[in-house]
Structure formats: C-alpha cells, structure tokens
Amino acid sequence: GGIITQTPKFLIGQEGQKLTLKCQQNFNHDTMYWYRQDSGKGLRLIYYSITENDLQKGDLSEGYDASREKKSSFSLTVTSAQKNEMAVFLCASSIWTGGNNQAPLFGEGTRLSVL
Amino acid sequence: GDQVEQSPSALSLHEGTDSALRCNFTTTMRSVQWFRQNSRGSLISLFYLASGTKENGRLKSAFDSKERRYSTLHIRDAQLEDSGTYFCAAPNQGGSAKLIFGEGTKLTVSS
C-alpha cells in the first residue's frame, strides 16, 4: 500500500530561521497540498501543486515557499520562523479523476515549535 | 470568502448513544468531505459526497442535494474509539483542488 511520509516529525527552530519541511508520497497522486493547523483549529491551505513543477498559492502562502521537485515530493519552506510559533503542518495528496480531485490522503504531520 | 461552519464545536456522548454533527456552507458547494483526526494528529478520510448519503458501519453522512449548503454526519451507537475531532471540508469556488476546512467538532465518548 501507499504512504505519505513527512519529515521531520518534530521541528524546533529559532526565531528568524529558515526551515524546510519535506513530504513524499508513493501513490502516484497528481495533486499535493500543504496545510497548517493551529491548536484547536481547522486546517488552512498554504500551497498546493497539481503536477510536477506546478505551484499554486493557498490562503496562507505569505511567509512560506514551496517546491514540487518531482511528482512524488513536495517541500515547504518557512522563510523566517516567528518567535513562539507553534503549529502542525500537514501534507496531503490526491488523485485527479473525473474532472475533480478525489478525497486527499494526509501525512502524520510535522510539529513545529519556535523558541 | 467561502466559509465552512461546523456545529457543535464540542460534543460529549455516552457509549451506545447516537448523535449528529453538522456542517453549513455560506455558499453552494459541489461536494463535501468528512475527516476524523485522532489524538496523534492523523487525519482519516471518512466520506466524500457529491450528493445524497453514504453509510459506513455506524457512520452515515448526508449532503443536501437541493441547496448544497448543508451536510450532516450521524454517529450511531457511539464507541470510545469514535473520540476525536471531526472536520468537514469543501472545495472552494475557485477550483476543486482547494479544500476549505471547518473548525472541527471535538467528540468525546465516555463509558
């Protein structure tokens, strides 16, 4: 079976630091996503990509960069970590079929803490 | 912008009871998805509906096919393992790749 792997699982950064989160999927899915989840809140879309080398902004793209290096991987960069920031970053992927993206599958998340 | 509103925000149930979670949209949506997030943070897809109802074991979801602004998730005979946070999500008007999530319903099932 397929799997979505996010690395690292836990990330501790310093204020102002540039941090990179990685996501790999072996489902051969077309679309990949990065979401941010703050404690007790819903998910907010940061970036998504519908194919290799494609990049589309979500609602929360400011302060982040992303890169879809190949179909199976999608990385997210926090360009300058904010002090006391704490959030979980969730990667997801979905297949495009019938003119729609099907239900996304999610990774286990990367938990970010900024000192 | 498009909004997804979930209610209640928190729900406590005793084992064996039934209940329903609700999801309202401020605009017409093409489809709705329901997810459960466990205590470790893993998000599992429960249902994907473009219309009508779907059932899986003790869970049943419905999407109002007429107005397309309302969805429910029914839990029958609640069990301890049903505890978690339930999210509904819908694609925004700009494109089906962008899913907008509600704030979630935190469900606690106790014995």
Side-chain angles (χ1 to χ4, degrees):
Chain A
I3 190 169
I4 297 177
T5 305
Q6 290 189 237
T7 54
K9 284 188 169 26
F10 298 93
L11 182 56
I12 298 176
Q14 302 285 334
E15 185 183 9
Q17 193 177 0
K18 186 174 174 181
L19 303 166
T20 299
L21 291 66
K22 293 190 181 293
C23 180
Q24 300 261 1
Q25 53 94 3
N26 61 0
F27 292 104
N28 199 35
H29 282 172
D30 308 288
T31 308
M32 294 186 75
Y33 310 79
W34 275 107
Y35 284 91
R36 174 185 166 123
Q37 186 178 27
D38 292 284
S39 180
K41 299 287 187 182
L43 279 67
R44 291 182 291 170
L45 184 63
I46 306 172
Y47 273 102
Y48 67 102
S49 166
I50 61 174
T51 189
E52 184 179 335
N53 293 319
D54 176 70
L55 196 59
Q56 311 273 347
K57 287 184 178 181
D59 299 319
L60 205 65
S61 59
E62 191 169 332
Y64 301 94
D65 283 326
S67 176
R68 184 85 180 270
E69 304 92 358
K70 46 187 179 180
K71 190 175 183 182
S72 62
S73 69
F74 194 30
S75 60
L76 179 73
T77 299
V78 179
T79 54
S80 179
Q82 301 297 305
K83 189 174 173 63
N84 297 323
E85 181 175 8
M86 280 183 68
V88 177
F89 291 85
L90 289 159
C91 175
S93 70
S94 64
I95 195 165
W96 177 270
T97 183
N100 279 298
N101 275 292
Q102 299 306 307
L105 299 173
F106 282 82
E108 300 268 307
T110 293
R111 281 146 186 81
L112 171 67
S113 296
V114 181
L115 304 177
Chain B
D2 300 339
Q3 293 287 331
V4 178
E5 296 162 359
Q6 288 189 244
S7 61
S9 56
L11 180 61
S12 295
L13 297 177
H14 287 296
E15 269 186 305
T17 58
D18 305 342
S19 192
L21 283 56
R22 286 173 288 280
C23 185
N24 283 294
F25 312 117
T26 55
T27 187
T28 301
M29 296 295 188
R30 278 174 288 171
S31 61
V32 63
Q33 299 179 27
W34 284 93
F35 299 86
R36 178 172 61 224
Q37 187 171 41
N38 63 21
S39 57
R40 287 173 51 235
S42 300
L43 257 155
I44 310 266
S45 177
L46 300 174
F47 295 105
Y48 174 93
L49 293 109
S51 65
T53 63
K54 282 188 180 177
E55 195 164 352
N56 184 2
R58 294 177 293 97
L59 299 180
K60 180 178 176 179
S61 182
F63 183 32
D64 164 35
S65 304
K66 199 171 174 184
E67 303 261 332
R68 309 188 75 80
R69 296 175 70 156
Y70 181 79
S71 177
T72 53
L73 178 67
H74 295 264
I75 301 174
R76 177 176 54 81
D77 184 25
Q79 301 296 306
L80 297 177
E81 61 264 28
D82 295 331
S83 295
T85 303
Y86 290 76
F87 291 98
C88 65
N92 82 333
Q93 296 300 309
S96 61
K98 290 178 71 170
L99 274 182
I100 305 170
F101 279 77
E103 297 274 289
T105 294
K106 186 171 181 180
L107 174 65
T108 306
V109 181
S110 56
S111 55

